[in-house]
């Protein structure tokens, strides 16, 4: 009887050690950021919550193709920036194949397509089909974002197929910040310019701009943003998985945080914390059923960080 008791004790200790080891492997959450303002904001929100729960968020700046590859290979745990339908090609290759998991929708009602300043709109450019009518004024250039971004691939396809008679146009790829700096310079000179625009983003407040119609085949009408994880992550790390499943954002929320970063020159982390402090009711939904890393209720622990 004593031998059986000893065996049971050893077994329970072994299970406890295994459980602790499993928890420890989830303590650091590896996240990706393509260098986009909106994902920097949502990563900051998530990082604040994880910190309050006793976890650590590790964010690496990675291009979208590398992010998807990292999710497939297990080098990235979480990506909050699966914009659909803009990333349909990556979805088909990685998510539909089962190599990457689309865990939850975190934002609805997005817009992501070519845009023009108000004076270009007033001149008659309302549709993709209108662009080539003013080709010389645009210098046949489209300003996109970072190389490899799904939206850029769609624009390259338009050029390759000569859709909208744009076969002679050129896509200028650069970072989000560099693109917007180029657009701002063009606007100051009242030059014709077309560029990738999206909402939520501070550009919608900072620039007098309009989104073009006609590109729905490539960019959809309105879209949504989803949370992706590496395969099996929510099962391996169920507590973080529960948080990620609960997380949903609004355009007003993201725009407010991003505007704070741009206008007041504060960090994304400080802007996210300030927004949550001003709107603590969101924590009830986000932290429903979520625990700290040591098994306590997450809600009071996160509120204590405010």
């Amino acid at each position: 009887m004593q031998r059986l008791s000893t065996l049971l004790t050893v077994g329970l200790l072994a299970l406890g050690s295994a459980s602790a080891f499993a928890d420890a492997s989830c303590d650091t959450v590896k996240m990706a950021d393509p260098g986009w303002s909106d994902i920097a904001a949502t990563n900051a929100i998530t990082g604040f919550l994880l910190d309050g729960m006793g976890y650590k968020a590790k964010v690496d700046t990675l291009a979208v193709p590398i992010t998807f590859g990292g999710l497939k290979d297990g080098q990235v745990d979480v990506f909050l920036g699966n914009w659909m339908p803009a990333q349909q090609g990556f979805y088909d290759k990685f998510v539909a194949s089962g190599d990457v998991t689309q865990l939850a929708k975190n934002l609805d009602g997005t817009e992501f397509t070519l845009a023009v300043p108000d004076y270009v709109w007033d001149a008659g450019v309302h549709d993709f089909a209108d662009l080539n009518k003013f080709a010389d004024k645009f210098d046949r250039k489209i300003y996109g974002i970072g190389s490899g971004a799904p939206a850029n691939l769609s624009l390259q396809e338009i050029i390759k197929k000569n859709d909208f008679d744009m076969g002679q146009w050129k896509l200028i790829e650069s970072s989000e910040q560099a693109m917007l700096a180029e657009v701002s310079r063009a606007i100051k000179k009242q030059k014709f310019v077309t560029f990738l625009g999206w909402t939520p983003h501070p550009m919608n407040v900072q620039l007098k701009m309009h989104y073009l119609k006609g590109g729905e085949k490539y960019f959809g009408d309105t879209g949504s943003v989803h949370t992706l994880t590496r395969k099996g992550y929510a099962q391996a790390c169920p507590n973080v998985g529960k948080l990620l499943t609960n997380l949903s954002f609004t355009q007003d929320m993201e725009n407010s945080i991003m505007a704070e970063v741009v206008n007041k020159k504060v960090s994304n982390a400080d802007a996210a914390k300030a927004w949550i402090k001003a709107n603590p009711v969101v924590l009830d939904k986000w932290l429903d059923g979520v625990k700290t890393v040591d098994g306590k209720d997450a809600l009071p622990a996160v509120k204590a960080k405010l």
Side-chain angles (χ1 to χ4, degrees):
M1 188 70 180
Q2 186 176 357
R3 183 171 179 273
L4 178 60
S5 176
T6 302
L7 286 170
L8 284 170
T9 302
V10 170
L12 287 170
L13 286 171
L15 283 171
S17 298
S19 174
F21 179 78
D23 286 345
S25 72
C26 301
D27 284 358
T28 297
V29 183
K30 295 174 288 186
M31 306 174 71
D33 177 1
W36 302 342
S37 297
D38 55 305
I39 304 308
T42 54
N43 278 348
I45 291 171
T46 308
F48 174 79
L49 300 175
L50 288 169
D51 179 63
M53 293 159 55
Y55 294 85
K56 179 185 177 183
K58 181 178 182 293
V59 181
D60 288 318
T61 301
L62 304 170
V64 173
I66 297 173
T67 294
F68 274 87
L71 286 164
K72 179 182 178 181
D73 297 339
Q75 301 302 306
V76 175
D77 295 325
V78 181
F79 179 42
L80 298 174
N82 175 215
W83 281 67
M84 295 294 289
Q87 294 175 11
Q88 188 66 49
F90 285 93
Y91 177 93
D92 293 342
K93 183 177 179 181
F94 292 94
V95 180
S97 66
D99 292 326
V100 173
T101 300
Q102 191 182 73
L103 189 68
K105 183 193 295 184
N106 65 53
L107 183 67
D108 237 333
T110 59
E111 203 160 4
F112 193 10
T113 187
L114 287 182
V116 295
D118 58 349
Y119 56 88
V120 177
W121 177 272
D122 292 342
V125 181
H126 300 166
D127 191 283
F128 276 58
D130 296 327
L131 289 167
N132 200 53
K133 299 174 186 175
F134 300 86
D136 290 340
K137 286 194 171 189
F138 284 109
D139 292 330
R140 292 183 171 82
K141 290 179 181 178
I142 305 170
Y143 289 89
I145 47 178
S147 179
N152 284 10
L153 299 178
S154 295
L155 293 170
Q156 287 168 342
E157 189 178 351
I158 288 172
I159 293 169
K160 183 179 179 181
K161 290 182 175 178
N162 193 32
D163 265 4
F164 313 106
D165 295 320
M166 296 181 71
Q168 301 302 311
W169 284 58
K170 182 181 180 181
L171 173 64
I172 310 298
E173 296 182 305
S174 66
S175 69
E176 170 193 320
Q177 291 77 16
M179 177 198 75
L180 290 173
E182 187 67 36
V183 170
S184 294
R185 282 192 289 269
I187 289 174
K188 283 180 181 177
K189 298 176 182 178
Q190 295 285 287
K191 287 178 61 178
F192 272 49
V193 63
T194 185
F195 58 97
L196 272 171
W198 61 92
T199 180
H201 192 280
M203 72 174 84
N204 296 277
V205 176
Q206 294 171 316
L207 305 177
K208 293 179 180 179
M209 56 184 278
H210 296 268
Y211 292 98
L212 301 183
K213 294 297 183 184
E216 290 78 12
K217 172 184 173 183
Y218 295 95
F219 296 99
D221 188 5
T222 60
S224 54
V225 184
H226 298 255
T227 300
L228 302 183
T229 66
R230 60 177 168 84
K231 186 178 180 181
Y233 181 72
Q235 290 72 39
C237 304
N239 191 48
V240 179
K242 176 64 175 170
L243 171 69
L244 295 172
T245 302
N246 288 353
L247 277 181
S248 62
F249 312 109
T250 67
Q251 298 211 32
D252 285 346
M253 174 193 305
E254 293 190 28
N255 278 328
S256 176
I257 292 170
M258 288 186 283
E260 191 82 357
V261 171
V262 171
N263 298 333
K264 297 189 178 178
K265 309 300 181 189
V266 299
S267 69
N268 280 283
D270 287 344
K273 180 180 178 180
W275 191 92
I276 294 170
K277 189 173 183 177
N279 301 272
V281 70
V282 297
L283 295 175
D284 295 338
K285 176 181 181 296
W286 287 348
L287 299 174
D288 182 31
V290 177
K291 304 293 183 182
T292 61
V293 73
D294 55 359
K296 299 175 183 175
D297 285 342
L299 185 60
V302 172
K303 282 186 173 180
K305 288 285 185 178
L306 293 171

